[in-house]
């Protein structure tokens, strides 16, 4: 019983406490102005239980305190201190679709992995497509139970994708038709469709 509670707590999945989940995914415009879009998005992912990698820093971050401590030394007004987010890996993280507003102004993001993000929904793919669809190279969606065929329609905006991995998306209906549309919309993309 205690293990289930700890798991639910880590995933911010406690009935009656959805506001906590939305708080972790809140898009703070003031924070974006203070530290820049890349650092604000990195803080969001790590705060929700994910892992990130900047282009200019060798190490990856999955601990919020380590991330803030390391980036606090940087002045976002100086070009040499301006870090860009390269990779997001969120496994069992409490990412929501509304949190994906953080993708706005991420100009160097290359790889995004959302695995078992139970609260990620279709709006997240729409936000991502609008803001990073023209330069994201790899997108991996696996066991995200709130992603539907309607959300996958937004993947046609991801024109720069080299690789698209879709696995075990239980809420996607009409899988053959969805796959056919994706292959038509993204002819240059290596698509692994195992939903």
């Amino acid at each position: 019983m205690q293990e289930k509670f700890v798991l639910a707590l880590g995933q911010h999945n406690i009935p009656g406490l959805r506001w906590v989940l939305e708080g972790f995914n809140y898009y703070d415009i003031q924070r974006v102005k203070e530290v820049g879009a890349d650092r604000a998005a990195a803080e969001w992912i790590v705060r929700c239980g994910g892992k990130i990698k900047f282009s200019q820093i060798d190490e990856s971050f999955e601990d919020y305190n380590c991330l803030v401590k390391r980036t606090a030394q940087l002045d976002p007004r100086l070009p040499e201190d301006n870090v860009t987010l390269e990779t997001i890996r969120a496994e069992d993280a409490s990412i929501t679709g509304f949190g994906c507003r953080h993708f706005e102004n991420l100009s160097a993001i290359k790889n995004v992995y959302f695995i078992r993000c139970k609260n990620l929904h279709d709006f997240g793919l729409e936000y991502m497509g609008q803001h990073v669809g023209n330069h994201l190279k790899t997108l991996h969606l696996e066991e995200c139970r709130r992603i539907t065929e309607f959300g996958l329609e937004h993947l046609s905006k991801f024109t720069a994708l080299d690789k698209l991995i879709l696995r075990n998306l239980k809420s996607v209906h009409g899988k053959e038709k969805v796959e056919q549309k994706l292959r038509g919309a993204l002819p240059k993309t290596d698509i692994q469709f195992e939903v």
Side-chain angles (χ1 to χ4, degrees), residues 67-133:
L67 170 67
V68 171
K69 183 178 179 181
R70 175 64 172 90
T71 57
Q73 303 164 13
L74 305 173
D75 184 349
R77 297 170 295 187
L78 302 175
E80 63 271 14
D81 280 355
N82 211 355
V83 292
T84 54
L85 195 54
E86 179 180 86
T87 301
I88 291 173
R89 179 175 280 286
E91 294 184 37
D92 299 305
S94 59
I95 305 298
T96 68
F98 296 117
C100 289
R101 286 187 59 203
H102 287 88
F103 281 95
E104 188 173 340
N105 296 319
L106 297 185
S107 60
I109 188 81
K110 293 180 185 152
N111 310 298
V112 175
Y113 304 87
F114 287 138
I115 301 168
R116 293 181 304 278
C117 294
K118 296 175 182 174
N119 297 295
L120 177 66
H121 49 77
D122 295 342
F123 291 126
L125 297 180
E126 183 178 5
Y127 293 139
M128 289 175 63
Q130 290 170 356
H131 299 293
V132 300

Side-chain angles (χ1 to χ4, degrees), residues 28-36 39 75-77:
D28 187 347
I29 295 169
Q30 186 60 38
R31 185 67 179 158
V32 173
K33 287 179 184 174
E34 288 172 8
V35 300
R39 282 176 55 189
D75 184 349
R77 297 170 295 187

Side-chain angles (χ1 to χ4, degrees), residues 133-169:
N134 63 349
H135 59 272
L136 189 69
K137 296 297 180 188
T138 302
L139 178 61
H140 182 135
L141 300 171
E142 183 173 341
E143 293 185 47
C144 298
R145 65 183 182 195
R146 296 184 69 195
I147 297 293
T148 70
E149 64 275 15
F150 303 110
L152 295 184
E153 286 180 12
H154 298 293
L155 296 181
S156 63
K157 298 175 188 168
F158 290 76
T159 55
L161 280 180
D162 291 330
K163 190 168 204 168
L164 174 63
I165 302 167
L166 304 171
R167 287 195 183 126
N168 205 11
L169 301 173

Side-chain angles (χ1 to χ4, degrees), residues 36-74:
D38 290 273
R39 282 176 55 189
E43 291 173 4
W44 159 62
I45 290 293
V46 174
R47 187 172 52 239
C48 290
K51 183 177 185 177
I52 62 96
K53 168 87 176 69
F54 290 113
S55 299
Q56 298 83 347
I57 301 174
D58 291 334
E59 60 194 294
S60 295
F61 296 93
E62 57 188 323
D63 180 276
Y64 183 79
N65 293 323
C66 291
L67 170 67
V68 171
K69 183 178 179 181
R70 175 64 172 90
T71 57
Q73 303 164 13
L74 305 173

